[in-house]
């Protein structure tokens, strides 16, 4: 089982994106689980969610405290202490950013950092910052945990064809660096 | 937390304030030249981000302005324009 | 002092950063009401977008500089009745006892409580911000939602499209309750709104004062975030939301609409009215005309047909 | 000793309330509670008491008004029954979780359906997990006394919870008997003016009441509520002693034991039926049966430790109730009593007896039949079938 | 096997309801339940299901509308949470005492105050004595399946009681996972059209519904209600078997035992937390701890006999709950479990664990801490202090 | 067929022996409504004098020859909404879905439920018999109780005497709800009442129909048991209880009162108004005049002051 | 009672009827001579004790008449008078 | 302790009368208890109530099944089987009637029957049939359980002076017959 924690801001589509991942996993015959964390705030406030993927039924029903993978939709969030908290040894961080690794304060456990400018992709394609589908593309590429084609189809079905493009862009443009 | 009494749920340890400025994608900018100081923008700002300052002028503040653009639409003189927020600076 | 002078000096007692959406009409209403009410005020904000936007506080922090409470969705007016009675007993009738409540808390879940408090003529200023739906829980229909509106419980569907009933027009209903003061107000007509809030505060020292406010909601109604005031203005201009007040049992139109624009014009840029059927449009227009006629009759001075 | 008068239970409740000088009384009529507020209305309209009266359009609003009153620092009183209690359930629950003090006379009545307006204790029992203190009176004197005690308890700084003074609809509410009325001056000395200020809606001291709260913080409030409830077990005994000092009457705290010392087995009763049970116990004692009686006075907090002590060494018990626990085929207090003494239950004989629903009578014969049945079963430990006290 | 899809618990509930072909759906939005009815509204507006939708002005009316529906012979569905449940309490209670079948998805949530919109099971627990059948689902599949099972159970001639299908707010309502959707035709075969006719408001068959009833007669109705509730313990197992035959899934009836056979001690769980507990049990088993798990599926009727059997020979147990029993300083199901097994309790070690209130998380570590604490206490029998599962 | 012919042939479906007091107006109303509704009817009678008078039945017996249920005090209109919806589904929209409910069940405890059902335009005929108080529980005040009335919760006292608030005038409030049909009726004006019940039944097939009936109560109001119709007549003649209806959104006075008698005249033989202060009397008169004026305006045809 | 099922509380074992005639202290008596057969008394009787009989006449029945006297007051011809009930005969 | 059951009809003042007895008993320093039975019907329907008098506190809180004394406000009620039910050996029956003992079907346990035409007294004095205060006078005379003067004072205080007269009339006019 892979445990993934997602961090974003209200309005960035974190929940929808995660649901798509679960759908893609289930569509491929696997198992997935997503639990959104519901705060009180609207737009712009930090939101997070917990995603699990496995090839057998997932039973635990709780937050993710020690993520294998972090998916960060907004690099301003890394200032919050909670974002990097609990990371497993050899964790993977996938982040929407224009920054360099050095600027990202990556903690020592992290094995791999993948950076993608999902905001730029999204601004390009939609004219606004909804980085979620581009992030999904990056996620598929970096982790290999979901089938790329199934994911793209789910994205297109849910959000329309433009988003397939965004996801593909994310897939293609993400830059991965092994730290260990 | 332990000295707190937890009887009735009350809040009196300061004001709870959200950083709403970070929501802005565009910021309202006032053109002092065309502004006729009518105050209409102030009256319509939902966030009370437009103030009447010490120099007796209307002024847009950016600590909480959400960038809705209502002031720009309502200004009878079209003295306010919405300018895309640049880079990472959120007000 | 004109209304703008009033506003620019009136202190805002609400947290500067609250989570109402960009361009939210309800935030504007809340701030205006409490600016005018001032520090000597106790306010209730029931569950709803405002109650859920941080203005009551979080954990140990408060969202206002005045005493604030979030009552139940179902009991705002009676809860405040109790507070008001205690302040009468304390000889502090000068304290403003105010609520700013959504249409759901007012016309639906809390309507009985409201009607009861009005009948008892409790010394309260009750402000309803009407965004025509339960926005806080995800944009479901309320009784004040306009016919044909798409909401999350009255979606666009192949068999039924939008809400099937006409809106419940609460201000007239409330005005039939022997209130001390009853009025409608729109944020587009800010001078009028300010005057009415001031009157409402004054009347609330005598008895129950009710103001029903048009509260544009970009997120739920689906229009651009800078258009709220424009839409409110058209609501008034089309007689969809006529401005009037009742004081000393006398009705008075406070905006005399010589040349109303059409409802078609009002609804056209509002997403929740996309795909409004011709029939629905006609029905809304006719309801609006009828309502306006009623109001005109009620506010006429002479006994006209005797 | 104060003035002695014959009066109904409802009048006793009203007098008890009036003596406690509530700021605001808000209520809605319902059988068999109505005359409580009618009596108080008379007092207010005649200027005999200085309270404010609010006649609401429903019980939901009555409780809500009083929530407003208490959170503005006032002393609040109401009375209701069955459907009225059910209709005010939402603010009723919140009253306790806001930890606002007040006293409510709960004139217990069966719940519909079937349509009924008569007695029983189902209404109170069904909402016992809403965070209120609940106690039951046996007679009109106890009603009056416990309303006064109730305020002291409710407003006690270690308690700060609303109190239900429950008493049997009709069987006490409409029963006339003698009551010794405490003098106002003594009540004033016993029960000082309101001083709680943990919640105050006041522009002079702005605070948010009920800000949105995260789970971890909410758990602290719940812990503190539960702790205060346990603490109440001590405070209620103190209050009873204080009352005794002031008025010469006391009730024994959370439970009262009657002829238990040397009893072989006991019956447990709640409310008005206790009087009949006392007669039954005396009768059976006269016939050589070593039976005792425990009167369960407080059900919230549930007096677990006192029950363990009282039942220690006994061979059996039966809990007689005017309500059912739908999920169990017994009465609710039977379930809890059994749970309370579970460490030492094995070897005991015990059962639940249910009667008096919807105004049915619980007679001396019923009480004796419970005692006889229990006695006959003492040599075969374990739970016996629920005994329904129906008309023979 | 039907179609497999990933969906939230709320969608699963809505699909389960839609498959059951309700006549009327009436509801009022509240977090975290709202999307149940939004989903159903879509289906109705699109003509995908033939149900009638009634959007009421409150939960009180939603339940009342459905009472009208059921008493006119219709199949009824609603969903609510916390304050909504509290506000509908009066007709909610009456629905069961009128013995009208229906299914309600109860998306469990903490009760205010403090102001909260998050999960917990306090709402359901607080009204457990209102005569409804209450069961808790562990995951989204179980939600969907139990709504369908719920109708068969509710309308069974020996049952005729409304059913609450409870599931954790957010932790299931908003959790997305895979669900196997039963085929409509199979559901139709499993769940025939409404046939109950013990109450029918119909001019063709005039009857009085709820005539005023004397206490002695009312007691018969209560007896019959309690008996039906006990009978339900059998019927629910039958229904589960039938469901298994039709769909290949079963849940074990009133409780499910997990690795209990050779367990030295067990933990009891309710609802969504069970999944985490399974992982914890496996983990501890791997470390040599002989712990088992009992999932309390039905709380009403309370499965006393099955618990006695399941706990026989064990050395200890802990009941983990997302709600409190204010009167006891423990969780409510701890009180009842203890009562259920009281005959054989002495010598056991046991305690109540409380967590997950107001949306707080119950983690694997919490579960392991319960197991560890219990194991450590096995050699000193008796009740241990309540364990609060707060953030470390 | 005139109304008397109608009545003399219409079968009474209510038990002939029910325990309403001698001369009870509500019994008269119940029998008339159900005679006209007939056998193809489902009726609800919520808690109140009628619900408590044996017409729902006792133990295993029924009090009517048609299906009857006593809902909660708080939910009559919503309960019937459910019944009505099921009859629509069954294709049996011809069944009359009716209630006869007191003012307490209507204007107070059940008001929210009523308002909601009206907004949803449920196909129901809702009859309110208004005896201005909770008679069944012992004559306490309700929101429709007239100012100054002595009731058991607003007694004659040295500090406060009688009810302190004006009555809540429910029919106008209801008429502002987009109803299909709304009317007032008095048993004194039986032809008018019969016609309105018939209209109400017909309209209830289209949507929500509401009739508010004046229901004299000798026991609670303290007047001689043979005077009920006289008192009802004076209520109409004094404009205390004006007769009107609203159909197709049009208001119409159904009794044109050229020469109203005074309120003093109306109240004089009614015990609950003994010791009415001069002030109260004037206040009632003024409220009544005002209300009548409002109704006249609403029912005027022309747009008079434009 | 034991064969009864006691599921939902329903009443269908006949009509519940009270002997309201016994309440009467006075009984209404109609004077056939002055009666003009207008039917007004029938329309106002709360108990429906006045019927239009097989001979097409209005007639007062006494099985349930409560003796309120409304018919007597409302009869435009004053054709109904209230007569004290004699002795033990209650109608 | 004496246990008394009262039978009357709605409107005859059974409840008020019983309350007065308790007040009189308490006023004299004794103990009394009255429990009305509440049915559903109004005026004219049979009502009953349970009265207990003692010189020490009364504890039982239940109906009276085996009355020492019956107080019957309306002789048409004796047709109901419940009226004479459960009578104790040597019971006393006090009844408002114009009838003779023979017409009253008195059961065999009864030791004493006292007949008073309280209706006549009441019609005489008030012009209507509210026989309760006259019955109280008879009760005081026959049973001696309440102090006459205290009772009369309570009656006058509660109902006015006319009722004192009615009670006195009842006291004076009741005719008692010993059957055993
Ligand atoms: C009894 C009850 N039912 C439902 C809810 C859930 N709820 C919270 S806010 C809300 C909507 C309120 O709508 P409105 O008053 O119009 O305010 P808005 O959200 O539109 O600002 C609802 C239904 C509740 N809090 N209490
Ligand atoms: C929730 C609730 N509160 C109180 C009652 C008690 N109650 C029964 S009838 C009634 C009075 C009803 O008054 P109204 O509807 O005017 O009928 P009336 O008795 O005057 O005929 C009341 C308060 C109840 N049944 N339910
Ligand atoms: S953009 Fe909106 S929030 Fe900002 S100043 Fe203008 S009106 Fe105010
Ligand atoms: S509305 Fe425009 S002109 Fe008026 S003060 Fe604002 S910026 Fe200036
Ligand atoms: S949803 Fe609408 S009403 Fe609510 S905060 Fe957003 S804009 Fe305001
Ligand atoms: S109290 Fe009034 S309304 Fe009730 S039955 Fe008697 S007369 Fe009718
Ligand atoms: S009202 Fe008089 S005149 Fe008319 S039918 Fe009756 S008795 Fe005859
Ligand atoms: S006296 Fe009254 S009940 Fe009898 S017939 Fe006349 S109107 Fe009817
Ligand atoms: Mg709203
Ligand atoms: Mg009434």
């Amino acid at each position: 089982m892979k445990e993934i924690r997602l961090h974003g801001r209200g309005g960035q589509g974190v929940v929808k994106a995660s649901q798509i991942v679960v759908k893609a996993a289930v569509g491929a015959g696997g198992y997935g689980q997503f639990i959104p964390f519901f705060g009180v705030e609207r737009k712009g406030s930090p939101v997070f969610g917990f995603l699990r993927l496995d090839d057998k039924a997932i039973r635990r029903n709780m937050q993710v405290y020690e993520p294998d993978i972090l998916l960060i939709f907004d690099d301003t969030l890394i200032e919050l202490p909670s974002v990097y908290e609990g990371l497993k040894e050899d964790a993977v961080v996938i982040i929407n950013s224009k920054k360099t690794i050095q600027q990202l304060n990556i903690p020592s456990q992290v094995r791999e950092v993948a950076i993608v400018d999902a905001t730029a992709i999204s601004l390009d394609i939609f004219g606004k910052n909804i980085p979620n589908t581009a992030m999904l593309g990056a996620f598929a590429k970096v982790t290999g945990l979901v089938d790329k084609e199934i994911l793209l189809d789910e994205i297109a079905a849910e959000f329309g064809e433009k988003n397939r493009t965004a996801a593909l862009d994310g897939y293609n443009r993400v830059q991965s660096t092994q730290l260990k | 937390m332990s000295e707190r009494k937890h009887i009735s749920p009350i809040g009196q340890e300061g004001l709870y304030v959200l950083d709403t400025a970070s929501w802005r994608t565009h910021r309202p900018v006032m053109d002092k030249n065309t502004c006729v100081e009518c105050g209409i923008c102030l009256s319509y700002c939902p966030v009370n981000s437009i103030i009447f300052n010490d120099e007796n002028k209307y002024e847009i503040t950016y600590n909480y302005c959400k960038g809705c653009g209502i002031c720009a639409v309502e200004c009878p003189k079209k003295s306010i324009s919405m300018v895309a927020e640049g880079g990472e600076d959120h007000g | 002092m004109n209304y703008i002078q009033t506003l620019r000096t009136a202190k805002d007692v609400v947290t500067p950063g609250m989570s109402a959406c960009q361009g939210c009409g309800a935030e504007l209403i809340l701030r205006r009401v409490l600016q005018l009410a001032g520090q000597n005020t106790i306010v209730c904000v029931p569950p709803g977008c405002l109650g859920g936007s941080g203005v009551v506080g979080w954990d140990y922090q408060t969202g206002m500089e005045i005493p604030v409470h979030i009552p139940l969705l179902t009991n705002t007016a009676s809860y405040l009745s109790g507070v008001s009675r205690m302040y009468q007993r304390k000889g502090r009738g000068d304290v403003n006892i105010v609520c700013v409540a959504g249409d759901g808390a007012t016309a639906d879940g809390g309507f009985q409580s409201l009607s009861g408090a009005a009948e008892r003529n409790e010394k309260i200023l009750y402000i309803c911000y009407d965004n025509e739906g339960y926005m806080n829980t995800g944009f479901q229909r309320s009784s004040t939602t306009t016919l044909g509106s798409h909401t999350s419980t009255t979606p666009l569907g192949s068999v039924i499209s939008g809400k099937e009933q006409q809106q419940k027009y609460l201000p007239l209903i409330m005005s039939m309750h022997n209130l001390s003061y009853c009025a409608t107000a729109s944020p587009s007509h800010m001078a009028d709104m300010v005057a009415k809030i001031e009157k409402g505060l004054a009347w609330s020292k005598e008895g129950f004062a009710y103001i029903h406010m048009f509260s544009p909601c970009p997120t739920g109604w689906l229009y651009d975030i800078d258009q709220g005031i424009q839409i409110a203005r058209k609501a008034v201009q089309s007689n969809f939301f006529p401005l009037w007040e009742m004081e000393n049992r006398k009705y008075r139109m406070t905006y005399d609409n010589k040349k109303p624009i059409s409802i078609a014009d009002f609804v056209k840029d509002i997403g929740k009215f996309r795909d409004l059927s011709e029939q629905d449009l006609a029905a809304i227009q006719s309801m609006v005309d009828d309502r306006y006629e009623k109001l005109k009759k009620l506010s006429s001075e002479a006994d006209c047909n005797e | 000793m104060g003035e002695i008068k014959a009066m109904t239970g409802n009048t006793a409740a009203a007098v008890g309330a009036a003596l406690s000088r509530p700021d605001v009384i808000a209520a809605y009529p319902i059988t068999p509670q109505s005359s409580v507020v009618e009596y108080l209305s008379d007092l207010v309209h005649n200027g005999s008491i200085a309270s404010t009266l609010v006649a609401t359009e429903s019980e939901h609003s009555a409780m809500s008004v009083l929530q407003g009153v208490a959170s503005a620092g006032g002393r609040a009183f109401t009375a209701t029954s069955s459907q009225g209690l059910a209709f005010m359930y939402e603010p009723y629950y919140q009253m306790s979780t806001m930890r606002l003090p007040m006293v409510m006379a709960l004139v217990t009545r069966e719940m519909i359906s079937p349509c009924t307006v008569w007695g029983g204790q189902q209404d109170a029992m069904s909402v016992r997990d809403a965070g209120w203190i609940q106690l039951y009176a046996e007679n009109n004197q106890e009603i009056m006394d416990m309303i006064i005690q109730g305020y002291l308890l409710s407003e006690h700084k270690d308690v700060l919870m609303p109190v239900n003074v429950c008493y049997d609809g009709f069987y006490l509410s409409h029963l006339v008997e003698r009551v010794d009325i405490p003098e106002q001056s003594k009540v004033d000395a016993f029960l000082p003016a309101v001083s709680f200020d943990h919640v105050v809606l006041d522009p002079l001291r702005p605070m948010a009441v009920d800000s949105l709260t995260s789970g971890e913080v909410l758990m602290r409030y719940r812990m503190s509520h539960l702790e205060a409830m346990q603490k109440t077990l001590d405070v209620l005994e103190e209050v009873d002693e204080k009352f005794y000092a002031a008025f010469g009457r006391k009730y024994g705290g959370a439970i009262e034991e009657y002829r238990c010392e040397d009893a072989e087995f006991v019956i447990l009763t709640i409310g008005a039926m206790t009087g009949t049970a006392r007669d039954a116990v005396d009768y059976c004692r006269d016939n050589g049966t070593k039976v005792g009686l425990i009167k369960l006075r407080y059900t919230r907090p549930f007096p677990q430790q006192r029950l363990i002590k009282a039942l220690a060494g006994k061979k059996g018990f039966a809990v007689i109730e005017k309500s059912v626990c739908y999920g169990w085929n017994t009465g609710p207090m039977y379930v809890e009593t059994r749970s309370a003494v579970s460490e030492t239950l094995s070897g005991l004989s015990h059962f639940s007896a249910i009667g008096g629903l919807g105004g049915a009578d619980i007679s001396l014969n019923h009480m004796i039949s419970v005692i006889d049945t229990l006695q006959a079963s003492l040599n075969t430990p374990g739970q016996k079938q629920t005994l329904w006290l129906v008309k023979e």
Side-chain angles (χ1 to χ4, degrees), chain D residues 1 12 22 36 74 80 106 168 172 181 184 200 206 222 236 269-270 277 293 304 323 326 335 350 360 377 382:
Chain D
M1 210 162 69
V36 177
T80 196
L106 181 45
D168 294 74
L172 285 182
I181 308 174
Q184 181 70 63
V200 216
R222 286 291 178 275
L236 67 88
T269 58
I270 304 163
L293 166 79
Q304 180 178 6
S323 56
Y326 296 95
V335 175
H350 48 90
S377 75

Side-chain angles (χ1 to χ4, degrees), chain A residues 37-42 45, chain B residues 16 18, chain C residues 19 51-54 57-58 136, chain D residues 212:
Chain A
F37 178 86
F38 270 73
V40 55
E41 287 99 30
R42 288 184 184 65
S45 311
Chain B
Y16 175 62
L18 285 169
Chain C
S19 71
S53 69
W58 170 252
N136 190 46
Chain D
L212 192 64

Side-chain angles (χ1 to χ4, degrees), chain C residues 175-216:
Chain C
S175 79
M176 297 293 158
H177 270 81
N178 307 318
L179 297 185
S180 286
Y181 181 73
C182 185
T184 62
S186 165
S188 55
H189 293 65
M190 189 53 77
D192 181 69
M193 178 182 271
V194 167
K196 284 170 174 171
I197 295 170
E198 285 176 334
K199 276 192 189 177
L201 285 164
W203 275 108
S204 73
K205 304 300 182 295
E206 311 291 318
F208 201 87
Y210 178 83
I211 309 180
H212 195 91
M213 300 201 179
F214 188 82
S215 185

Side-chain angles (χ1 to χ4, degrees), chain C residues 44-55:
Chain C
C44 275
V45 188
C49 274
L50 290 182
S53 69
V55 299

Side-chain angles (χ1 to χ4, degrees), chain D residues 120-390:
Chain D
Q121 293 166 340
Q122 192 71 53
D123 47 3
M125 284 295 167
S126 295
V127 300
R128 70 190 182 284
D129 283 340
W132 283 58
I133 293 169
Q134 291 192 320
L135 66 97
Y136 291 77
E138 176 182 347
N139 53 41
N140 294 356
Q141 184 71 60
E142 194 172 359
I143 294 171
M144 188 182 291
D145 291 351
M146 290 314 295
I147 285 179
I148 299 166
Q149 282 201 24
Y151 279 105
L152 198 67
L153 183 61
S154 180
E155 296 171 10
H156 189 287
K157 69 171 186 1
D158 292 336
V159 175
L160 295 172
M161 265 177 275
V163 171
N164 271 158
V165 175
C166 309
Y167 57 92
D168 294 74
F170 294 112
Y171 279 90
L172 285 182
S173 66
H174 287 63
L175 173 146
V176 181
E177 65 182 5
R178 76 184 255 162
V179 175
D180 180 347
I181 308 174
E183 277 167 52
Q184 181 70 63
S185 60
K186 285 195 189 165
V187 175
D188 290 344
F190 176 77
L191 179 63
V194 164
S195 66
F196 61 86
D197 66 350
H198 56 304
V199 176
V200 216
L201 284 175
D202 191 334
L204 302 178
R205 190 181 150 202
M207 60 170 75
V209 177
D210 235 352
S211 27
L212 192 64
T213 300
S214 59
E216 293 295 330
V217 174
L218 184 141
M219 299 240 286
R220 308 279 158 180
Y221 288 104
R222 286 291 178 275
M223 266 189 242
S224 129
H225 194 154
L226 268 62
E227 277 161 19
M229 193 62 107
Q230 291 304 307
K231 189 86 217 290
T232 300
L233 285 166
D234 298 329
V235 179
L236 67 88
E237 313 253 350
E238 278 168 39
V239 168
D240 201 33
E241 286 300 333
K242 256 183 119 170
F243 191 86
Y244 179 64
F247 303 102
R249 285 185 298 277
K250 68 174 168 182
Y251 294 94
I255 66 172
E256 184 206 330
E257 296 173 61
Y258 181 70
R259 305 190 78 169
C260 278
E261 320 76 44
D262 62 337
E264 209 183 350
F265 63 96
V266 297
I267 57 174
L268 282 90
T269 58
I270 304 163
M273 66 167 87
T274 308
T276 312
R278 288 182 202 268
D279 280 0
V281 165
D282 286 0
Y283 173 88
C284 294
R285 281 272 183 178
D286 289 350
N287 292 338
T289 307
K290 287 178 104 178
V291 60
L293 166 79
I294 296 173
K295 169 179 160 191
L296 200 53
R297 296 185 68 244
Y298 282 79
T299 53
R300 288 293 178 263
F302 193 84
Q304 180 178 6
Q305 294 311 323
R306 285 206 53 187
L307 282 176
I308 289 177
K309 243 188 241 154
L311 283 169
K314 308 300 179 212
K315 289 197 190 150
F317 65 89
V319 184
I320 309 169
E321 301 182 63
K322 287 188 174 181
S323 56
V324 302
C325 183
Y326 296 95
W328 274 80
N329 206 13
T330 66
M333 287 302 105
Y334 169 72
V335 175
E336 297 200 8
T337 302
R338 188 177 148 134
S339 188
V341 302
S342 52
E343 296 292 348
T344 51
L345 191 84
S346 129
L348 267 63
S349 178
H350 48 90
F351 60 86
S352 168
I354 298 172
L357 308 185
D361 198 43
I362 299 187
S363 67
L364 197 68
N365 284 345
H366 281 141
M367 287 295 178
I368 295 170
S369 78
V370 173
I371 294 171
D372 289 350
T373 309
L374 184 55
Q375 190 176 31
S377 75
L378 288 181
N379 36 3
T380 58
Q383 180 182 357
K384 302 294 153 329
Q385 208 177 294
T386 294
L387 189 66
W388 289 84
L389 307 179
V390 291

Side-chain angles (χ1 to χ4, degrees), chain B residues 30-31 34-42 50 58 71 74-80:
Chain B
M30 194 188 281
D31 178 353
T34 56
C35 168
V36 296
E37 303 292 343
C38 66
I40 285 179
C41 53
L42 173 142
I50 303 183
Y58 293 94
C71 51
E74 297 304 325
C75 168
K77 298 292 159 193
K78 297 282 159 245
S79 302
I80 301 177

